[in-house]
Amino acid sequence: MTLVTRLLQAHEISDADRVFRLAFGTFLGLPNPQDFMGDATYLEHRWHMDPSAAFAAEKAGRLVGSNVAVCWGSFGFFGPLSVHPDLWDHSIGQKLVAAVVDRLDEWGVTHAGLFTFARSPKHHALYQKFDFWPQHLTVVLAKAIAPGQTLADEARYTRLSEDQQAEALAAARALTHGLYDGLDLSREIEAIAAHNLGEVVLLWDEAGLAGFAVCHCGPQTEAGSDTCYIKFAAVRSGPQASQNFDRLVQQCEALASAENLTKLSAGVNTARVQAYRQMLAAGYRVELVGVAMERLPRSGHNRPEVFALDDWR
């Protein structure tokens, strides 16, 4: 039967989510694969950010897989890639990767990557066919958060006026351009407010915006119940970057506490070795280890002098 690769439609998101959980839960050997990720979710808000970047695989009138490309300005990544376990090893994954790679090329990104299982040569071989190669490990860390902390309104993007939000968005764009030319988290920042996904934490100093963190909070986000997940965070380059990084992470902890969440989770590429070391020193412990696969020779914002958090899942 002919396989069709096409854009994912809004009414198919729940079907795609079921296949996603079944595929990953089966690969990981969970007793009930549908329990994978609990009440966290990826597909719905990624589809809303850009429906033209979400792809479905259909066979015999049935949705059997999906994949989503994400654009952060000059950098792009994709995932989660999932295929129904009954159809593994039928080249469906290759077709879904081809679709998102074409979209990344259409966007003209200068750096592209993905997160995958460090222990899976099968996954590595698939992505290497598209010129993505294993680079540094990416470590997802977490820490228990004590209750009773608060976060000031000026540190919360969603509590700013419309004009203040526009200024903060422009400042965030300038900050990330300083880390890698064209890196832009505007879509992620705007999605937080548009879809009630959590908060964008803002760190200010006398020079302006010193750092920011895009945080998902609670169920039906990428965090899940009781968790605050830092999807992306970065501080301005310069002599104060190390101290500002610690301050920004502390503000994220305050956000989690203020929102009555008990855990803060974040990923860091180990090429950013000082950021990784400071997370460990702050009491964060490893929950998951993956590998970043990147199209060479670009290293993007995965450099030792960059203080940033993300994991490209």
Side-chain angles (χ1 to χ4, degrees):
M1 296 181 183
T2 303
L3 177 76
V4 177
T5 305
R6 54 167 175 75
L7 292 178
L8 180 69
Q9 302 302 303
H11 69 273
E12 297 175 312
I13 293 173
S14 59
D15 289 339
D17 183 75
R18 281 192 290 272
V19 172
F20 154 66
R21 295 177 194 276
L22 177 63
F24 278 82
T26 299
F27 178 80
L28 294 172
L30 300 184
N32 181 7
Q34 290 291 344
D35 289 341
F36 177 72
M37 291 297 294
D39 58 9
T41 185
Y42 289 104
L43 292 174
E44 184 169 4
H45 64 269
R46 291 191 184 183
W47 185 92
H48 282 293
M49 275 200 297
D50 191 346
S52 73
F55 296 89
E58 177 189 320
K59 194 167 188 177
R62 181 170 64 110
L63 189 143
V64 296
S66 65
N67 199 5
V68 184
V70 177
C71 183
W72 290 353
S74 59
F75 169 68
F77 66 101
F78 62 84
L81 166 66
S82 58
V83 176
H84 195 289
D86 291 347
L87 294 170
W88 287 352
D89 300 319
H90 284 65
S91 300
I92 296 173
Q94 289 189 49
K95 290 180 169 54
L96 286 167
V97 174
V100 296
V101 168
D102 286 346
R103 186 66 80 237
L104 294 174
D105 290 340
E106 288 170 7
W107 288 333
V109 301
T110 54
H111 180 221
L114 62 102
F115 175 102
T116 193
F117 300 100
R119 61 181 174 87
S120 176
K122 184 176 181 179
H123 285 83
H124 303 172
L126 167 62
Y127 300 127
Q128 285 166 186
K129 292 177 180 178
F130 295 88
D131 204 27
F132 289 86
W133 298 90
Q135 298 300 299
H136 285 78
L137 296 176
T138 295
V139 180
V140 180
L141 308 110
K143 178 181 178 179
I145 300 300
Q149 302 179 63
T150 60
L151 185 65
D153 284 354
E154 60 265 26
R156 290 175 173 261
Y157 176 84
T158 64
R159 296 189 183 177
L160 301 181
S161 69
E162 188 173 330
D163 287 344
Q164 289 172 325
Q165 286 185 349
E167 292 174 1
L169 194 63
R173 192 179 302 116
L175 189 155
T176 52
H177 284 198
L179 303 180
Y180 180 67
D181 189 29
L183 181 64
D184 187 353
L185 273 290
S186 296
R187 284 185 175 184
E188 297 288 350
I189 293 171
E190 292 171 329
I192 291 291
H195 303 295
N196 195 30
L197 298 174
E199 186 60 85
V200 182
V201 174
L202 305 171
L203 176 68
W204 304 97
D205 65 11
E206 63 280 358
L209 187 69
F212 71 95
V214 178
C215 299
H216 285 225
C217 296
Q220 304 309 309
T221 73
E222 295 185 21
S225 288
D226 301 320
T227 301
C228 176
Y229 166 61
I230 303 175
K231 184 167 184 178
F232 180 90
V235 298
R236 184 197 311 127
S237 296
Q240 298 302 312
S242 174
Q243 296 93 321
N244 283 337
F245 181 75
D246 283 343
R247 291 174 58 209
L248 181 62
V249 172
Q250 289 164 8
Q251 283 196 332
C252 293
E253 293 175 5
L255 169 69
S257 180
E259 296 296 320
N260 297 313
L261 302 169
T262 59
K263 184 172 83 169
L264 182 63
S265 173
V268 60
N269 187 287
T270 55
R272 306 174 209 141
V273 61
Q274 188 58 37
Y276 175 44
R277 292 177 64 179
Q278 287 183 211
M279 291 293 283
L280 294 176
Y284 286 81
R285 296 296 176 258
V286 176
E287 284 196 329
L288 174 67
V289 178
V291 63
M293 299 190 68
E294 302 172 59
R295 285 201 288 195
L296 302 181
R298 298 283 185 177
S299 60
H301 56 293
N302 286 341
R303 308 189 313 275
E305 71 273 17
V306 172
F307 285 83
L309 299 172
D310 62 12
D311 59 52
W312 310 350
R313 282 184 292 169

